[in-house]
Amino acid sequence: MGRRTLLIGGLATAVGAAALGRDELGRLWWRVPGVEKPRVEGAVDFSGARWTAASEANYRRADRPDDHPVELVVVHVTQGSYDSAVRVFKNPDHQAATHYIVDQDGSVTQMIRELDVAYHAGNRDYNERSVGIEHVGFVDRPKDFTDAMYAASARLTARICERYGIPVDRSHVIGHHEVPGADHTDPGPHWDWDRYMKLVREALRSTA
């Protein structure tokens, strides 16, 4: 019998086996002390990204993809500046944040580890199964979506898709407005999906 099986058994005994289904146990086993994946302070999942931590109130610690499969990338637009996005994601009262922010100059900031569930999509199921990427700008200003932004974001999305085996298509790389129950319109009508998806596929091929 493996260590994971023993730990699950102990956890089930502690909380009552009748109260937890097998799927729920699979999501909880890693929370037993000593099971969580090692974490290095300031580590990033995307090479070249800089780390700035979001408030812990704006995400939930997890152990993805072991407890939740990562199957989607959700594209957002900040509706504000880079500084304002960082500020609100660090604010515990905001109750929302994305994993990444891509600025207009192509720089990438990671604020939440991909291991963890960011509160970004407005839908718990989608939060658990997705990585959220914020883009600095306004939905009604096409000039905000620069060449450098498209290129950097495409490389980021390609790496995420490669890491988790996510198909590079519009069923799996979606806008915030496409999340069920979402009341947002981002990335808006000026986001060039054809261009973006082409860039993601090219970035993916470049590492094949």
Side-chain angles (χ1 to χ4, degrees), residues 4-168:
R4 173 171 173 165
T5 303
L6 287 170
L7 289 169
I8 291 176
L11 180 61
T13 300
V15 300
L20 289 173
R22 180 174 297 176
D23 289 345
E24 188 66 14
L25 285 173
R27 294 183 177 189
L28 291 176
W29 77 270
W30 68 271
R31 299 182 187 179
V32 175
V35 174
E36 180 179 303
K37 287 189 179 79
R39 293 168 184 251
V40 177
E41 185 176 356
V44 295
D45 297 301
F46 179 68
S47 177
R50 60 191 176 199
W51 174 258
T52 301
S55 167
E56 292 186 2
N58 296 332
Y59 68 94
R60 172 166 56 82
R61 286 175 73 93
D63 201 24
R64 303 190 310 170
D66 289 342
D67 53 354
H68 303 288
V70 180
E71 303 171 326
L72 300 161
V73 175
V74 180
V75 173
H76 301 259
V77 172
T78 60
Q79 289 297 97
S81 68
Y82 171 83
D83 289 342
S84 67
V86 171
R87 184 167 59 252
V88 297
F89 291 171
K90 285 180 170 290
N91 181 353
D93 296 327
H94 188 61
Q95 298 291 298
T98 55
H99 295 89
Y100 293 98
I101 302 173
V102 181
D103 207 344
Q104 293 172 6
D105 64 0
S107 60
V108 177
T109 298
Q110 184 168 6
M111 299 196 70
I112 299 170
R113 290 293 306 277
E114 291 176 15
L115 285 167
D116 296 327
V117 176
Y119 303 150
H120 68 98
N123 177 309
R124 178 175 177 173
D125 177 55
Y126 276 65
N127 284 342
E128 290 176 343
R129 298 188 296 115
S130 68
V131 173
I133 305 175
E134 203 74 68
H135 298 82
V136 175
F138 292 85
V139 296
D140 59 349
R141 293 201 322 211
K143 67 179 182 179
D144 289 348
F145 305 140
T146 64
D147 293 345
M149 174 185 284
Y150 273 118
S153 180
R155 288 192 296 271
L156 171 58
T157 292
R159 295 292 78 73
I160 294 167
C161 290
E162 180 181 47
R163 187 157 34 249
Y164 301 106
I166 302 172
V168 180

